């Protein structure tokens, strides 16, 4: 199969399309013919050598496609089904990918919009679970306009929470449409939040990693009511929880979001699609930060 891969760390130019042996699903896994695979900010961090150190690496946490092999112990899915899900090996940017959890693609979504969902939805659901956000909670989401942030807004609203979301001013209308009360994240953010909720908020989720964990603790009143998914060093310095996949995956989120998507209550914006062969260009666009919404690779 063809796959996007790098065998040395560096700029986007280290990415190449290579031929790799076809993978086969282990117990509890399925294999899909990939039609679309999501790109995440961690892709360029990995390519630059800032995360995993092994080489070579194929990237891609999430994909959508057609089931073509089924591993031992798997039930409820058939060869030919259209599914979207998560790659346990982070290697979904290829013609074939193994998935360890998945859900049927809802009729209302195409492959690209489905492939944009798994990482954002799972991260958002996991973080809200770990915070304990339920009906009647008030929650501040710092970085609410991005993929993970907008998923968190939609899932918190679905739980019956009241949501304040920080975003740049140009995103405020979109945040309102999702049901959040928007505030700008520039200087003075805590005062703007207090103006909306004078007694503070119950929980805060930091998706932006913008160095405001102390302000978030002050707003909620207790460090255990703050979680970050993006500020690893800030979490270490402040003793705030850093949520990542190894802290317990919310795999149920995919089926929940598929069902919500069918009734128009959940979506992740796709900013731009690229053929798999243009993965290096996609990284340049992603790192430039000029396109709002998820970047997705399409596979013929
Ligand atoms: N730990 C995990 O399990 C996990 C999993 C997935 C992703 N992540 C991490 O989560 C982060 C977000 O990922 P994403 O895919 O949602 O990225 P994204 O779609 O690019 O969103 C990032 C958002 O951050 C906002 N932002 C930028 N500067 C800000 C600031 N100073 N204050 C508040 N918000 C600011 C941007 O808002 P504007 O456009 O309005 O400026 C943008 O919408 C990344 O660091 C990623 O690595 C972690």
């Amino acid at each position: 199969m063809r796959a996007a891969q790098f065998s040395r760390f560096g700029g986007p130019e280290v990415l190449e399309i290579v031929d790799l042996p076809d993978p086969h699903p282990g117990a509890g896994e399925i294999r899909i013919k990939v039609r679309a695979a999501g790109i995440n900010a961690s892709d360029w961090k990995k390519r630059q050598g800032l995360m995993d150190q092994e080489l070579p690496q194929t990237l891609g946490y999430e994909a959508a496609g057609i089931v073509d092999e089924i591993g031992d112990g798997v039930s409820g899915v058939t060869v030919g089904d259209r599914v979207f899900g998560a790659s346990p090996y982070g290697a979904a940017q290829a013609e074939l990918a193994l998935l360890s959890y998945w859900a049927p693609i809802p009729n209302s979504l195409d492959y690209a919009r489905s492939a944009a969902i798994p990482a954002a939805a799972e991260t958002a659901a996991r973080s809200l679970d770990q915070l304990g956000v339920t009906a009647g909670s008030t929650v501040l989401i710092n970085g609410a306009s991005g993929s993970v942030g907008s998923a968190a807004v939609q899932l918190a609203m679905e739980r019956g929470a009241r949501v304040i979301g920080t975003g740049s001013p140009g995103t405020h209308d979109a945040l309102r449409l999702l049901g959040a009360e928007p505030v700008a994240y520039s200087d003075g953010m805590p005062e703007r939040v207090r103006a909306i909720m004078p007694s503070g908020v119950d929980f805060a989720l930091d998706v932006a990693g913008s160095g405001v964990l102390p302000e978030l603790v002050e707003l909620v009143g207790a460090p255990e009511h703050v979680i970050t998914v993006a500020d690893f060093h800030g979490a270490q310095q402040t003793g705030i929880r850093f949520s990542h996949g190894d802290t317990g995956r919310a795999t149920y989120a995919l089926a929940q979001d598929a069902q919500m998507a069918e009734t128009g209550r959940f979506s992740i914006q796709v900013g731009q699609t690229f053929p798999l062969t243009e993965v290096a260009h996609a990284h340049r666009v992603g790192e430039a930060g000029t396109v709002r919404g998820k970047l997705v690779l399409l596979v013929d």
Side-chain angles (χ1 to χ4, degrees):
M1 67 164 186
R2 291 180 312 149
Q5 191 178 75
F6 57 88
S7 50
R8 62 191 166 92
F9 298 120
E13 71 282 355
V14 302
L15 289 157
E16 53 188 356
I17 303 298
V18 298
D19 275 317
L20 295 178
D22 292 354
H24 295 284
E29 297 174 349
I30 60 170
R31 188 177 82 176
I32 61 168
K33 287 181 186 160
V34 177
R35 289 290 174 260
I39 291 181
N40 285 282
S42 56
D43 286 13
W44 30 97
K45 294 179 199 165
K46 288 185 164 198
R47 193 207 67 223
Q48 291 162 7
L50 302 176
M51 293 175 70
D52 312 335
Q53 290 305 304
E54 81 268 20
L55 288 170
Q57 283 185 46
T58 296
L59 299 172
Y61 291 117
E62 54 194 348
I66 301 158
V67 177
D68 84 332
E69 271 189 24
I70 296 176
D72 288 344
V74 172
S75 58
V77 67
T78 307
V79 168
D81 285 356
R82 297 166 75 243
V83 300
F84 68 116
S87 159
Y89 311 105
Q93 293 168 9
E95 288 177 321
L96 297 169
L98 303 179
L99 302 182
S100 55
Y101 59 95
W102 58 86
I105 294 178
N107 291 330
S108 56
L109 293 189
D110 60 16
Y111 288 119
R113 291 176 68 207
S114 307
I117 290 177
E122 189 281 324
T123 304
R126 171 187 2 115
S127 308
L128 296 174
D129 287 347
Q130 290 170 345
L131 281 171
V133 173
T134 55
S137 301
T138 54
V139 56
L140 169 63
I141 297 171
N142 182 51
S145 58
S147 300
V148 179
S150 64
V153 170
Q154 294 170 85
L155 295 179
M157 296 296 301
E158 181 75 6
R159 293 176 188 212
R162 183 176 170 192
V163 180
I164 296 181
T166 75
S168 53
T171 67
H172 287 191
D173 284 346
L175 286 173
R176 275 188 207 97
L177 279 177
L178 296 181
E181 295 164 69
V183 297
Y185 53 63
S186 47
D187 283 354
M189 179 270 286
E191 290 69 33
R192 287 189 284 279
V193 172
R194 275 200 203 88
I196 297 175
M197 290 188 197
S199 55
V201 288
D202 298 327
F203 304 107
L205 171 59
D206 171 43
V207 175
S210 53
V212 294
L213 295 180
E215 288 91 331
L216 298 184
V217 172
E218 212 181 307
L219 279 165
V220 303
E224 59 271 25
H225 289 183
V226 179
I227 279 182
T228 179
V229 298
D231 190 352
F232 183 72
H233 295 298
Q236 286 184 321
Q237 285 162 3
T238 54
I240 283 163
R241 281 178 289 172
F242 181 86
S243 178
H244 54 84
D246 294 343
T247 57
R249 289 195 187 278
T251 57
Y252 70 88
L254 272 56
Q256 180 192 16
D257 297 341
Q259 194 246 330
M260 287 171 65
E262 276 301 65
T263 49
R265 294 173 358 261
F266 188 87
S267 69
I268 299 291
Q269 183 189 352
V270 173
Q272 193 170 340
T273 60
F274 307 81
L276 178 67
T277 50
E278 290 182 19
V279 60
H281 179 48
H283 275 225
R284 288 188 186 96
V285 170
E287 285 179 281
T290 47
V291 172
R292 179 170 299 287
K294 193 96 175 174
L295 306 184
V296 175
L297 297 169
L298 301 180
V299 183
D300 291 335

